[in-house]
Amino acid sequence: MASNRLAQFREFGKKIVAVGRNYKAHAEELGNKVPEKPIIFTKPTTSYLSQGHPIKFPPGCTDLHHEVELGIVVGKKGYQIPEEKAKEYIGGYFVALDMTARDLQLEAKKNGHPWTLSKGWDTSTPAGEFIEKDKITNPQNLQIWLKVNGEMRQNGNTADMIFSISYLISFISKYMTLEEGDVILTGTPSGVGGLKGGDVIEAGIGDVSKIKFSVDSS
Ligand SMILES: CC(=O)CC(=O)C(=O)O
Ligand SMILES: [Mg+2]
């Protein structure tokens, strides 16, 4: 993938595939069981937000949560990719927020309904710049952190993922073709929490890439 601009993966991106509860401490902090196989959901590409634009509360939400995640950008098309070949399909990385309307999600969970609206409204996937694959030697040993108004809220390491990036690529592609520009959000570490209008979120992967977004106060 030649360009390092966010626009590149938005343009090519066919889908955003996200993983839930991929860190034990996060599953436990919300009182959920640690999964035995990956929990997969999708988000629309209209949910992408680039820096300089505010995150909006979706209608009916009063409990908006931050979730910082390592995003994988798929570099080439593949179906039923063996785990040992999965790394060849990584095109690059980015810092992502899987913004979640926790109250809407809890209501959906209670009723056995999908999470789509609680995870997929416009502005629910703030994303940083594309990071070339070669800039990261070991994606399974990266600090992943998030601050709100300067206070550290999430501070994890991708070494603590329950399902590795290679396993996830192989697992997801058993069911659906992955295409160049698709992205995989690999789940959030513990420390998720509520936000209010005017809050400023900073997040990053070690010192490799950093993002900054504000929450709409109108
Ligand atoms: C409970 C969740 O919202 C799951 C999720 O998105 C995660 O990253 O974990
Ligand atoms: Mg998430």
Side-chain angles (χ1 to χ4, degrees), residues 19-22 26 30 32 41 67 69 98 100 102 105 109 115 119 187-188:
V19 182
R21 301 177 199 153
N22 198 24
H26 169 59
L30 292 184
N32 293 310
F41 57 97
E67 295 189 359
E69 309 203 1
D98 173 24
T100 303
R102 197 67 74 199
Q105 187 191 35
K109 275 161 71 179
W115 297 352
K119 296 272 197 183
T188 195

Side-chain angles (χ1 to χ4, degrees), residues 8-214:
Q8 180 109 16
F9 63 91
R10 289 179 72 178
E11 201 174 291
F12 288 128
K14 311 291 188 304
K15 55 192 169 291
I16 302 170
V17 185
V19 182
R21 301 177 199 153
N22 198 24
Y23 290 79
K24 187 169 177 279
H26 169 59
E28 289 174 347
E29 74 180 343
L30 292 184
N32 293 310
K33 278 202 302 197
V34 176
E36 282 164 17
K37 57 182 184 178
I39 297 171
I40 305 297
F41 57 97
T42 59
K43 296 176 62 129
T45 51
T46 43
S47 68
Y48 275 129
L49 184 70
S50 52
Q51 294 186 81
H53 304 281
I55 298 165
K56 298 203 165 123
F57 274 69
C61 168
T62 56
D63 193 18
L64 176 65
H65 273 207
H66 53 77
E67 295 189 359
V68 63
E69 309 203 1
L70 172 66
I72 309 295
V73 183
V74 174
K76 64 176 180 179
K77 189 171 176 174
Y79 180 58
Q80 302 197 328
I81 301 163
E83 192 177 342
E84 59 279 9
K85 295 214 160 152
K87 285 195 176 75
E88 296 170 21
Y89 290 79
I90 298 176
Y93 307 92
F94 66 107
V95 183
L97 301 180
D98 173 24
M99 299 303 299
T100 303
R102 197 67 74 199
D103 44 3
L104 304 191
Q105 187 191 35
L106 284 177
E107 194 187 326
K109 275 161 71 179
K110 239 190 291 167
N111 293 309
H113 294 164
W115 297 352
T116 315
L117 293 182
S118 66
K119 296 272 197 183
W121 77 95
D122 283 19
T123 77
S124 64
T125 312
E129 291 300 317
F130 179 75
I131 306 165
E132 296 288 343
K133 181 179 183 172
D134 299 347
K135 291 239 168 82
I136 292 181
T137 42
N138 182 5
Q140 293 294 171
N141 186 16
L142 295 170
Q143 185 207 9
I144 178 158
W145 59 272
L146 179 143
K147 293 180 184 177
V148 178
N149 303 329
E151 179 203 333
M152 189 70 88
R153 293 262 191 101
Q154 293 190 263
N155 193 3
N157 192 295
T158 57
D160 295 325
M161 283 183 192
I162 298 169
F163 304 106
S164 70
I165 295 162
S166 290
Y167 185 84
L168 291 172
I169 290 172
S170 177
F171 181 85
I172 294 163
S173 71
K174 266 188 206 161
Y175 298 86
M176 59 182 94
T177 300
L178 289 172
E179 298 176 277
E180 180 184 358
D182 284 351
V183 308
I184 300 171
L185 306 185
T186 54
T188 195
S190 63
V192 300
L195 295 158
K196 57 183 184 333
D199 280 349
V200 175
I201 301 171
E202 289 167 282
I205 295 169
D207 52 12
V208 179
S209 183
K210 198 172 143 177
I211 57 174
K212 188 171 181 176
F213 286 92
S214 60

